[in-house]
Amino acid sequence: MGTESENNGVLKEGFLVKRGHVVQNWKVRWFVLKSDRLLYYKYEGGKRDSCHRGTIPLSDCKITCPYLEYENRPLVMKLQTSTSEEHFLEACMREERDEWAAAIGAVVQNLNPHGALTTSPSQVKGSTSLQLHNVNLSQVVDSMYDVHNGIRLCSHVEQGSSYTNCFSGSAVVDWLVFNKLALTRVEAVTLASALLDEASLRPIGIRSADALRNAALGEQFLDDSTALYCFSQSFHKRGSVKAEKSRSAVELSGKVVKRGYLLKQGHKVKNWKVRLFVLRAEPGFLHYYDPSKDDITPVGSISLRCCLVSALDDNGIPSGVKGKIQGNLFKIITQTDTHYYIQAPTHEERMDWIQAIRKLT
C-alpha cells in the first residue's frame, strides 16, 4: 500500500460514490485508474489517505453502464471482476459516468485485446431504446422526476385555460433524446406513448386529449409544443419530488449550470465532508447534497445574490480553515456575511467553479 509508485501512470482520477460490500451503504471515495486496476482511497477530514483502501482488478472485467437497478441513483455503473465480485460506482453526471466507463473499458481492452468483456454506454442505451420491451418504464419516469436532471415543470396557457406543473410533448421528446433514452425523435415518441399507456403520464388540455382519443388514427403521443402532459396523479412521487416540496420551489427551479463533488467545511463542527454541489441559474443558488443518501433533498443552499467568491492561498492554512487539507481552497461570502470554505479536487476545477459562480453573482 505504498504511495510512491501509485502516483505514476495515473490514467484518470476523481470522486465516485461506491456501494459497500458488507454494509450496503454508499460512501464517497477517491478513485485512481491505473493500467491494470482501479484503486480507491478514503478522505479523512479534508485530506486524502496516503494508502488506498481497496483495489479492483480490471483484467477480464465486465462493465455495465448505465446500471439502472437503483431508484434515485440513475448514474451508476457496475464492474464485475473475473472472480464475479461486483462493484457499484456512481458518478455526479452522465458525462462523467460515461467517461469513467470508457476509460475503464479502454484498460480492459488493452489487458484483453482478443476478448474484452465490456458493455459500452452507447451500446446499452442504443439497445434499450431500440427494444422497447426491455425498457423499465418506472425507471424512465423516476429519471424524469429527478430534481437535478429531470424534465422541467412549467406553466402553460391553452385557449384561455391555465395549466401548472406540466410540460409539452416536444419537451418530453427533447428530454428523452438529450438523455439518450431514445436515439431518434420517432423512438422517443414511441417511448412516450408507452408511458401514456402505463398511465405514468396523462394528457391535459384539448390538444393532447384529442390526440389520445384519436389514437387509432396514428401515434397517440404528440411531439408538439402545444400538446400538454403531466405526471399521472396515480404515480407515487418519490424522493426528488419530496425534495421540491421541502425546499423553496423557486430555488430548485433554476437551470442546472454545473455539478460535481467538492469538500465543504462544516459551520458548527469544523469537519470536512464530500458533498455533491449543484449550481443553478435564474435564480442563482448553490445547493449541496449528501451523496451517501438516496434521498436527494439538499443538505443546504447558498444564495449567490451579491456574494463574493475567491481562491485561497494553498501555502499554509488560511484563517477560518481547520484541520488537515488537500489544497485548492476557495471561499464564498454571502450577502449575510456567512463564510463557506470549500476544497476542489484539482486547481483547474477550483478555477472552473469560481468562474461559474462569479457569473451568477
Side-chain angles (χ1 to χ4, degrees), residues 307-325:
C307 82
L308 299 173
V309 57
S310 59
L312 296 178
D313 191 350
D314 287 335
N315 295 322
I317 298 179
S319 174
V321 174
K322 303 294 183 183
K324 295 179 180 179
I325 56 172

Side-chain angles (χ1 to χ4, degrees), residues 59-103:
S59 181
D60 291 318
C61 180
K62 296 180 182 178
I63 306 169
T64 304
C65 179
Y67 184 80
L68 299 174
E69 297 302 313
Y70 291 106
E71 290 183 1
N72 292 331
R73 290 188 182 273
L75 302 175
V76 172
M77 59 181 165
K78 181 178 81 169
L79 306 183
Q80 184 177 332
T81 68
S82 58
T83 58
S84 296
E85 189 175 66
E86 293 181 333
H87 300 271
F88 300 92
L89 310 177
E90 181 185 38
C92 63
M93 298 184 296
R94 282 178 174 81
E95 296 84 355
E96 181 74 5
R97 178 198 62 193
D98 292 351
E99 285 174 10
W100 271 104

Side-chain angles (χ1 to χ4, degrees), residues 211-260:
L212 189 59
R213 281 193 291 270
N214 299 322
L217 302 177
E219 198 71 70
Q220 62 183 17
F221 188 91
L222 293 178
D223 181 2
D224 189 318
S225 61
T226 64
L228 303 181
Y229 300 88
C230 67
F231 292 116
S232 173
Q233 291 175 342
S234 64
F235 188 88
H236 295 296
K237 299 178 181 180
R238 297 194 176 111
S240 57
V241 177
K242 292 176 186 174
E244 285 186 313
K245 289 180 179 178
S246 64
R247 185 162 292 271
S248 165
V250 175
E251 273 189 33
L252 294 167
S253 67
K255 178 184 176 183
V256 174
V257 176
K258 186 174 177 61
R259 49 188 285 144

